[in-house]
Amino acid sequence: MEDGFDFQNGQNFDFKEFVFRALSYWKWFLLGLCIVFYVVYYQNIRREFPYTLGASITVQDDKNPLFTATTSLVFNYGGISGKVQEVLLNLTSRKHHEKVVDSLKLYITYLKQGRFYKTDIYKQAPFEFEGKIESYQIIGHAIKITFLNENSFQISYDFGELEEVVLQNFQSKDVKTVNLSEGILSETYNFGDYIDLPFLKGRIIKREQSKIVSQSEYFIRFNNFDSTVSSFIQSYIVRNESNSPLLTVRLTNKNKPKIVDYINTSIFILDRDQLQRKNQYAINTIEFIDKQLSRVKGELTKKADSLNDFMRTNKIFDIESESALLTAKIEEYKDEKELFNEQLLALDLLKNYLNTNNDYSDLQVPSTTGISEGNIGVNVSKIVLLSAEKSKLAYSVRNNVSVFDDLNRQIGALKLVVLENIASEKFNIQSQLKALNSKIYNSEREFSTIPESQQRLRAIEREYLLSQSTYDLYLAKRGEADLIKASNVSDIVLIEPAKDTGQGRNAVNLNIRYVFAFFTVLIPVFLVAFIVTFFDNKLHAPGDLEKLSSIPLLGVIGQNDTPNNLAVFNKSQSAMAEAFRAIRSSLQFMYKKHDLEGSKTVLVTSSISGEGKTFTAINIASVFALSGKRTVLVGLDLRKPKIFDDFELKNEIGVVNHLIGQKSLSEIVQHTKVENLDIITSGPIPPNPSELLISATMDNLIAELKTKYDYIILDTPPVGLVADALELLEYADASLYVVRQDYTQKDMLTLINEKHKNGVVKNISFIYNFYNLKGKYGYGYGYGYGDYANGYHDKVEKKSFFNNLISKFKK
């Protein structure tokens, strides 16, 4: 179909009408464009672009150079790739950022009023607020600070009509809401004075080398701690190239010094935490050994006192030479016994580690070269792997996921196996110690020939030496642990710290916003035009009739700009009058074509009221009368009579009076100011209009009128509302069906189309009324002859461009 699309549901979409309708909304489009362009311009000039700075670090596998094959206290670490992943997860974790925000107190913002908004000045403020640790501070509201002179300042705030405010304790992070008793406050303080206000507690300290300007104004604002942390997490980016130990940290913020401090502090805290975790096992080992040293030292002191007392009491200061061989043999057994004791110590260290730690991924896993049992080393390695897997999952999976329960069960089971292996190994060693003690006992029995005092001296001396050996062993282990702790270095190496080197803001081309603003207005305009066009069921052009009906179009009438319906009489040289003359010519051609002689009858009807039926009937009657033809206009719309007002006539008597036999034809005919034009009004409204119109008296009336007039114009009721007009069609030589632009519904033509198709209605034509394309869509030529009609039609006063523009927006 031309200029349109047919949808599957049978509805036709007129693309041309859609385009014209969209163009007719140009004034709203222009108004909307002005509004959104102003909004975009206002936002652009207020836009504050942020900065982006970065730093670079590497993750190294720095093993302690003091770890050797002979070192009995060693540590096992994961690979470099595992470390990089762990560091990356730590840098992006919320716990890490909470430490940074707490360290720098970034929940306090120092502001200064700018042109459009308060600007974050961070350390550029000439003062610093030291809040009371355990107190609650107001959050989300700026407190104004006005410097009066070098020593005093004024604190003020105005919360307006707020009834409650939110406070937060930045030590415990607790938040509470309190009622606001006084919303306006202004107090004066000196630097260093304690501020004890309901929602602000602390001191304001002047920064060193800062200059105080009198009457200068600043603001401080406490922000919600969690919200502050979240804002930094969102703008904090950590990137790592695949299989590379290099990490790049970048932060975006509106204040460059704050970016520098945040990134560098973040790396410092990461380095500190990593080294602390690396030293944790050595710290735990030193604590365990210190407890054992304290115990052994007490036993050694007792043994030494006992030996000295015995030698002093018995006056024994030397050992006889004959016991030298026996003593050497016992010492050999003793050395062997010491080896077993070292193994027991190593097992105790490992057992202590397993019992005092739960998370084996945060601490280095210990192993001991003195442990000969292979199953213990294998199971400890499995525990390390499972703990590392659990640590990685903890950064990406919720804690309540079942995989953690499975890993914990596996770790717990392996831990029990290791502890059982330790217990079993200790039992074996202790059994061997018992056997060795038995050998020592047998050797000592050989001292039976030695005097009793000498034997007692030997026993006390052996106990003392044993305690001394154990003490020396613990001292050696503690020294190893201290040495490892002191020599540990962090795996984090800072390659390039964050630094302000004059970087510019992250400039963005804001002009693209105007393009989006343009389409933001354009799309709704087209959408509204599409929806209105899609659901619009009215006639908008004479061509619509050709698509909807086979009834011919007899004439097109423009808009009436006269004060009443007498358009032809008032302006006989207008385009409107020419339109009705064209209709008159078409009617005469129709009569001639059908060989009609004598008086002719024209019936005028429409679908509903308001389409211009009466207006058309009056002016068709006027053009016939002005051409010298005797014409009568009969008002047969008995329910809603209208034609008498325009001719300044009365409707006291009319057709109704004649049809009921009260008045004769001569008594109901009224003459008008239009030459050759008479009018018969409808008269009083009857209770049975349909019955009157189909009576025999109506036949007589029409027959009598034909003897007196050349043209009879019948103004009838709308056929879409009542059936009276259909009854009157038998009197008409030609019927005119009036439709009105932008008023008549397309489906209103269904009835007349069916009647015409079935042959009930003949010699009927359409009159298209109120045609004004220019007025509808804001362009085009309108109806008439335009400039070519100069000298033929009445001149129309042209409006100025400004008046035309105003009239467009008034529509």
Side-chain angles (χ1 to χ4, degrees), residues 638 652-664 668 682-689 691-693 695-698 701:
L638 306 184
E652 296 176 354
I653 59 174
V655 174
V656 174
N657 302 94
H658 179 74
L659 294 178
I660 63 176
Q662 290 182 347
K663 301 290 182 179
S664 64
I668 63 174
S682 60
I685 300 175
N688 55 345
E691 287 73 11
L692 291 177
L693 294 177
S695 65
T697 308
M698 186 66 192
L701 174 62

Side-chain angles (χ1 to χ4, degrees), residues 354 358 360 382-383 386-387 390 404-420:
L354 295 175
N358 292 323
Y360 304 102
K382 292 180 180 180
I383 291 176
L386 291 174
S387 297
K390 177 183 174 183
F404 289 104
D405 296 334
D406 184 55
L407 290 174
N408 289 331
R409 285 195 297 270
Q410 296 183 46
I411 293 173
L414 289 171
K415 180 178 176 180
L416 291 176
V417 171
V418 172
L419 292 177
E420 290 177 359

